[in-house]
Amino acid sequence: MKRVALGFLVLAVSAAILAFALRPADKALAPKADQDAWFAAVNAELKSRDVGGPVILIDLDRVDRNLEAIRAHIAPPRHYRIVDKSLPSLPLIRYVMEKTGTRRIMSFHEPHLSLLFRELPPDTDFLLGKPMPVAAARAFYANLATAARSDASARVQWLIDTPQRMAEYRALAEELGQQFRVNLEIDVGLHRGGARNVEELEALLAGIAKSPERLRFSGTMGYDGHLTHVPVLVGAKEEAVQKAFEDLVSAYRQFVEYGTERYPDWFTGAVTLNGAGSRTYRLYTAAHPLNDLAMGSCVVKPAAFDDYTLAKHVPAMFIAAPVLKEIPGFGVPFLEPVAGLAAWWNPNWRRTFYVYGGAWSESVVWPAGAQPNSLTTSAPNENLFPNQNMLNGSNALPLTVGDFVFYHPKQGDAMLQFASILVLRGGKIVDRWEPFPRGL
């Protein structure tokens, strides 16, 4: 019996030592990041301005840094095209256009296309980012004065992926008495639609050639959204991405070479050879066939775009939410009997905070050590108007009621969840912008 008791004692002591050794570190005591001072300054600014709820922030100093990276990489004869869905704010798009000098927009939603067509400079060129139902094109023209329709036909490129859709657009052009600019979707590896080979490309090109009075070829679009998701079994990710990129460029070049051989007049001059994206635009050089690179997210670099290809870009968009309550201990219901033990084992569970809102598709970036409670938080975007979200932290966490917690949204379209955007310069609020109207 003594041996058994001694054995249990040894096991208990060993378990206690192991548990102590495996205790999580106090995350609030981690070395301070370079941006900590910036977040602290913006926290003070929001408090001084009596901001009373969650807000979305755009920092123009960081946006400018990202735009400079774009300008440094894209030079004529290549052009930068703004993706509107990733920057869903008219003032923000105007700012990017002014800073980069571009007059090119990729649009994904008819109401957004209609809004931007009305509000942006008259020399702006629009390319649809996906093949739209012909009813969407009809709605776009229905919102225009008859006199403006010819101008719209000269400035908008409708994306066409199949002969059937082309026939539908040809019929609409006939109905409206217009000549539509047609950009052809090609499949360069994403397999989301478009011409899969030169035979299918020929069917689309021939469809345009049969109706020159109603359809005019304007270019091709081959999106590469799959590139940075290439499976890596052996070797570095960079090598795998580069190999997939070379295959993609080869496929794009085959389409262009075929089109140039069959319809040489169409593939010269102002033809739009579009592709790329925020994660991949830096892979393209003047040696590649594309002359029109589309991107939007890299301007504000949401959390989902933290990739090695965007190492020169910095996050420029955040959500800030005020702390409503501070409660000592690990405040999870029904765990009261073990709350003390939990707080002893994990110093990051010694305080509980409730913030105004939360449960967006986000990650907490400041203050370091504030972390969502996985036992109580809602799934991302499950509740689009959340009540209060629980965070936990240690006794060393510099956070109290009235302070703001900062989140890094995963996508730029998080702007659409807010009524307005607070614009920062030098850590101070300098403007208030509106996102695209809700309900579009």
Side-chain angles (χ1 to χ4, degrees):
M1 291 295 291
K2 289 183 178 180
R3 290 182 178 178
V4 173
L6 181 60
F8 276 119
L9 178 61
V10 171
L11 287 174
V13 171
S14 299
I17 293 173
L18 181 61
F20 186 84
L22 295 177
R23 291 173 69 203
D26 188 332
K27 295 183 179 181
L29 298 178
K32 300 302 180 185
D34 294 339
Q35 67 268 25
D36 273 14
W38 183 86
F39 283 117
V42 177
N43 177 49
E45 171 73 357
L46 295 175
K47 292 164 69 174
S48 71
R49 295 293 194 99
D50 290 331
V51 174
V55 292
I56 196 152
L57 309 169
I58 289 182
D59 181 61
L60 292 184
D61 298 318
R62 293 168 179 239
V63 167
D64 287 350
R65 179 173 168 181
N66 295 336
L67 295 179
E68 179 55 35
I70 293 173
R71 285 196 303 267
H73 187 76
I74 301 178
R78 296 179 299 153
H79 302 279
Y80 167 41
R81 186 176 295 273
I82 301 170
V83 175
D84 67 0
K85 72 179 181 64
S86 303
L87 304 172
S89 167
L90 179 58
L92 175 56
I93 289 176
R94 282 175 169 158
Y95 183 85
V96 175
M97 292 179 73
E98 176 187 352
K99 287 290 184 176
T100 62
T102 187
R103 289 293 186 269
R104 300 178 180 222
I105 300 290
M106 177 173 281
S107 193
F108 288 78
H109 188 37
E110 180 274 316
H112 298 166
L113 172 64
S114 293
L115 170 69
L116 296 178
F117 185 83
R118 289 194 309 268
E119 300 294 337
L120 293 182
D123 58 343
T124 304
D125 178 86
F126 295 89
L127 170 62
L128 273 296
K130 60 174 178 265
M132 301 292 285
V134 71
R138 180 176 284 106
F140 170 73
Y141 276 92
N143 291 327
L144 298 174
T146 302
R149 289 180 176 178
S150 294
D151 178 49
S153 296
R155 294 168 54 196
V156 177
Q157 302 182 53
W158 299 101
L159 190 65
I160 299 298
D161 58 336
T162 64
Q164 178 183 355
R165 197 181 310 275
M166 183 174 294
E168 294 171 348
Y169 272 74
R170 183 189 305 113
L172 178 60
E174 182 71 34
E175 174 187 328
L176 298 174
Q178 297 294 315
Q179 183 192 53
F180 287 173
R181 296 171 71 204
V182 172
N183 192 291
L184 302 181
E185 184 177 22
I186 56 176
D187 181 5
V188 291
L190 181 59
H191 306 323
R192 195 167 66 181
R196 294 170 294 181
N197 49 55
V198 295
E199 290 77 19
E200 292 185 357
L201 177 65
E202 172 62 32
L204 296 174
L205 293 169
I208 298 173
K210 290 177 182 177
S211 302
E213 71 286 355
R214 296 301 173 212
L215 302 176
R216 176 163 63 94
F217 176 77
S218 66
T220 57
M221 192 273 274
Y223 182 47
D224 63 6
H226 60 294
L227 264 187
T228 57
H229 301 288
V230 59
V232 181
L233 301 178
V234 179
K237 179 179 180 179
E238 291 87 342
E239 295 174 353
V241 170
Q242 185 61 35
K243 174 61 170 62
F245 174 69
E246 292 169 0
D247 292 342
L248 180 148
V249 169
S250 177
Y252 205 122
R253 184 173 283 114
Q254 289 178 17
F255 282 112
V256 173
E257 289 176 349
Y258 177 85
T260 302
E261 180 181 346
R262 293 283 291 121
Y263 302 88
D265 293 343
W266 293 4
F267 281 80
T268 58
V271 64
T272 298
L273 303 179
N274 175 266
S278 285
R279 289 187 179 92
T280 60
Y281 85 92
R282 297 190 64 82
L283 300 175
Y284 292 89
T285 69
H288 300 124
L290 283 71
N291 60 19
D292 190 82
L293 307 182
M295 66 214 73
S297 294
C298 63
V299 172
V300 293
K301 198 179 181 181
F305 290 79
D306 187 14
D307 211 314
Y308 79 93
T309 53
L310 289 180
K312 293 183 178 293
H313 290 249
V314 293
M317 179 182 70
F318 303 94
I319 295 171
V323 176
L324 300 176
K325 305 170 184 176
E326 178 181 352
I327 301 171
F330 186 54
V332 179
F334 307 115
L335 296 184
E336 294 87 352
V338 297
L341 179 62
W344 169 83
W345 184 72
N346 188 343
N348 303 292
W349 290 346
R350 291 176 183 170
R351 295 160 75 197
T352 295
F353 303 88
Y354 281 92
V355 299
Y356 190 141
W360 303 284
S361 181
E362 49 12 40
S363 57
V364 176
V365 291
W366 191 88
Q371 51 190 0
N373 188 297
S374 59
L375 297 176
T376 63
T377 191
S378 300
N381 289 335
E382 178 180 81
N383 186 350
L384 294 182
F385 194 77
N387 182 355
Q388 303 170 71
N389 197 41
M390 178 190 285
L391 300 177
N392 291 119
S394 76
N395 290 330
L397 185 65
L399 190 66
T400 189
V401 173
D403 283 330
F404 283 78
V405 175
F406 291 77
Y407 302 82
H408 191 195
K410 289 188 179 295
Q411 298 287 347
D413 56 15
M415 298 178 207
L416 296 174
Q417 297 184 39
F418 294 81
S420 61
I421 302 164
L422 296 186
V423 182
L424 304 173
R425 176 79 77 184
K428 301 292 184 181
I429 299 171
V430 296
D431 208 343
R432 185 183 294 266
W433 290 348
E434 301 299 322
F436 285 164
R438 298 184 183 187
L440 289 183

